[in-house]
């Protein structure tokens, strides 16, 4: 990862999307931010708002803008910040950016640099930065809600609670070292073991919730499978609202896996249309069927389409049998017609119900990194408990608990995060 740019620089960028809009926001952060804003807008208070005419170095008017100034303790980055809310015409933003570029001591911001400064100045912890990244890329309501919880500090608060309780356990253990030649007021081990057991249980439960959240971030996969000509591609097109797959009365038309990503009842879902499952008629179709079986096996849910008069598939826990072409031959159970739309609302509701049930265990974690840190901390606690059971030296128990503490610190970015910062901030746009 390339080293972070100097935090002493004053940076600026367009914080809203480029292009024509009603309003554009240009952000300036750093020690020279107040001077830069005043160079364009005239005298300003350290923390306030005013409507001003922006002018370039020659005194030519650029635009009329709402100018916001933020003192360091009240700004997003923890530095002096100024925001220029101009009209959103591309010519206006380009002119203001040129005027900022001409000021000494200012440079354009890099992707994610404002947020990185917020992290370095203690305004956000690492988990909140990750939550913000996911909030900016959220496509569905479920993703928005989960990302917003983490950005609001839910994971940091939870980690702080775990850390405080683990520090209590460490303090109790280290008291037996510090006062080994004196009388310790009480037997500390029952309380230490109780703290360890409770923390380990909570960490493992939250790690499982983080794994579920990771699936929510990436999106669930729902495979549509069944024999040829049962209406798989027609169903995919109907749910997607467009002709994503070729439909034909000729069996074996679909020979590869076709994917369509969509918002299904607030959940991110990738629908997968697969080749019809039958004995292949040629080598190319055989490859498509093999791919279909493999991809369907890895999906979160499989919609088994079958026709009336044919035996319904024996469903597993992740299978949903559905009678297809119910307009031609109705039957019992969940039935649909991809041609008329009959039963599609019920199918979508059932898919959403099953996938939503999987999110019931969501915790405050969001990423695989969070799950690994929690499980590593839980593993250290399990090891500490085993050491206590066999009467290991107190110093070894204390060091094991301190290793668990370091895992919790890594969770929110207190230690050992430089190797992942580049990947995180690469996903941010310039201006954020």
């Amino acid at each position: 990862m390339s080293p972070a740019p100097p935090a002493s620089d004053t940076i600026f960028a367009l914080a809203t999307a480029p292009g024509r809009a009603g309003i554009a926001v240009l952000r300036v952060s750093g020690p020279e931010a107040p001077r830069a804003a005043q160079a364009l807008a005239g005298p300003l208070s350290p923390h306030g708002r005013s409507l001003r005419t922006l002018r370039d170095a020659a005194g030519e008017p650029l635009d009329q803008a709402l100018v916001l100034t933020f003192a360091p303790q009240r700004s997003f980055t923890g530095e002096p910040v100024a925001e220029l809310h101009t009209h959103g015409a591309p010519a206006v933003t380009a002119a203001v950016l040129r005027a900022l570029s001409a000021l000494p001591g200012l440079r354009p911001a890099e992707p994610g640099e404002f947020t990185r400064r917020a992290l370095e100045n203690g305004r956000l912890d690492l988990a909140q930065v990750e939550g913000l990244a996911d909030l900016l890329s959220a496509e569905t309501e479920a993703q928005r809600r989960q990302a917003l919880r983490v950005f609001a500090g839910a994971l940091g608060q939870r980690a702080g609670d775990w850390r405080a309780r683990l520090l209590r356990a460490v303090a109790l253990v280290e008291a037996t070292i510090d006062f080994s030649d004196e009388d310790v007021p009480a037997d500390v081990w029952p309380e230490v073991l109780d703290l360890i057991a409770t923390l380990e249980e909570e960490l493992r439960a939250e790690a499982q919730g983080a794994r579920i959240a990771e699936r929510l971030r990436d999106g669930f996969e729902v495979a549509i499978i069944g024999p040829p000509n049962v209406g798989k591609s027609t169903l995919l097109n109907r749910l997607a609202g467009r002709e994503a797959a070729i439909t034909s009365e000729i069996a074996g038309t679909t020979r590869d896996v076709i994917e369509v990503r969509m918002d299904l009842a607030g959940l991110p879902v990738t629908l997968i249309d697969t080749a019809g499952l039958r004995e292949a008629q040629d080598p190319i179709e055989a490859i498509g069927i093999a791919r279909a079986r493999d991809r369907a096996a890895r999906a979160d849910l499989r919609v088994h389409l079958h026709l009336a008069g044919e035996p319904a598939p024996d469903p597993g826990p992740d299978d949903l049998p559905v009678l297809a072409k119910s307009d031609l031959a109705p039957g019992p159970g969940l039935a649909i017609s991809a041609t008329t739309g009959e039963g599609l609302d019920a199918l979508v509701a059932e898919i959403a119900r099953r996938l939503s049930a999987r999110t019931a265990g969501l915790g405050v974690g969001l990423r695989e990194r969070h799950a690994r840190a929690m499980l590593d901390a839980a593993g250290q606690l399990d090891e500490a408990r085993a050491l206590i059971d066999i009467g290991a030296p107190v110093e070894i128990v204390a060091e094991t608990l301190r290793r668990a503490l370091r895992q919790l610190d890594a969770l929110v970015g207190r230690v050992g995060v430089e190797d992942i910062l580049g990947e995180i901030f690469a996903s941010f746009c310039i201006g954020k």
Side-chain angles (χ1 to χ4, degrees), residues 245-268:
I246 299 174
T247 59
S248 168
E249 295 181 358
I250 302 173
T253 300
T254 301
R255 297 198 169 197
D256 205 348
V257 175
I258 299 173
E259 301 180 10
V260 175
R261 189 172 176 89
M262 61 185 298
D263 181 332
L264 199 66
L267 295 170

Side-chain angles (χ1 to χ4, degrees), residues 306-309 323-337 342:
H306 65 97
L307 299 175
L323 175 67
K325 301 185 179 182
S326 61
D327 57 320
L328 302 179
L334 183 56
I336 65 164
S337 169
E342 177 188 353

Side-chain angles (χ1 to χ4, degrees), residues 80-99:
V81 168
E83 288 186 357
L84 311 176
H85 295 219
T86 70
H87 294 94
V92 172
T93 57
V96 177
L97 287 171
R98 282 196 303 271

Side-chain angles (χ1 to χ4, degrees), residues 262-284:
M262 61 185 298
D263 181 332
L264 199 66
L267 295 170
V269 173
T270 297
L271 289 175
I272 303 169
D273 180 22
T274 60
L277 304 182
R278 65 172 181 175
E279 291 297 324
Q281 304 299 306
D282 60 69
I284 301 300

Side-chain angles (χ1 to χ4, degrees), residues 46-213:
H47 186 81
R49 61 186 183 274
S50 57
L51 186 64
R52 298 294 181 88
T53 297
L54 304 183
R55 300 180 183 275
D56 62 16
E60 289 295 321
L62 301 172
D63 191 26
Q64 193 173 60
L66 176 64
V67 181
L68 306 180
T69 53
F70 301 87
Q73 64 273 20
R74 297 184 179 183
S75 76
F76 173 69
T77 62
E79 302 175 324
V81 168
E83 288 186 357
L84 311 176
H85 295 219
T86 70
H87 294 94
V92 172
T93 57
V96 177
L97 287 171
R98 282 196 303 271
L100 289 171
S101 299
L103 296 175
L106 272 67
R107 65 169 175 80
E110 297 183 1
E113 192 169 357
F114 291 99
T115 305
R116 181 162 190 155
R117 293 190 176 195
L119 173 67
E120 292 170 346
N121 293 325
R123 302 293 287 177
L124 299 175
D125 62 38
L126 182 61
Q128 287 177 290
V129 170
E130 292 168 317
L132 177 57
D134 289 333
L135 183 61
L136 293 173
S137 61
E139 298 175 323
T140 70
E141 179 63 13
Q143 290 174 323
R144 181 196 66 80
R145 287 197 303 267
Q146 181 67 6
L148 187 59
R149 288 181 65 199
V150 178
F151 177 52
L155 180 55
Q157 293 168 9
R158 192 85 166 106
D161 173 63
W162 289 330
R163 191 175 192 276
R165 288 149 63 191
L166 185 51
L167 278 173
R168 168 68 179 169
V170 172
L172 288 170
V173 171
E174 291 185 341
T176 67
I177 301 173
D178 295 338
F179 302 100
S180 57
D181 296 331
E182 305 175 20
D183 291 331
V184 179
D187 183 5
V188 302
W189 296 113
E191 183 178 353
V192 170
L193 287 169
D194 182 62
L195 285 168
I196 288 174
T198 304
L199 284 170
E200 183 181 351
E201 181 180 354
E202 292 179 11
L203 284 164
R204 293 192 186 278
E206 286 288 350
Q208 180 61 32
R211 291 263 163 80
I212 296 171

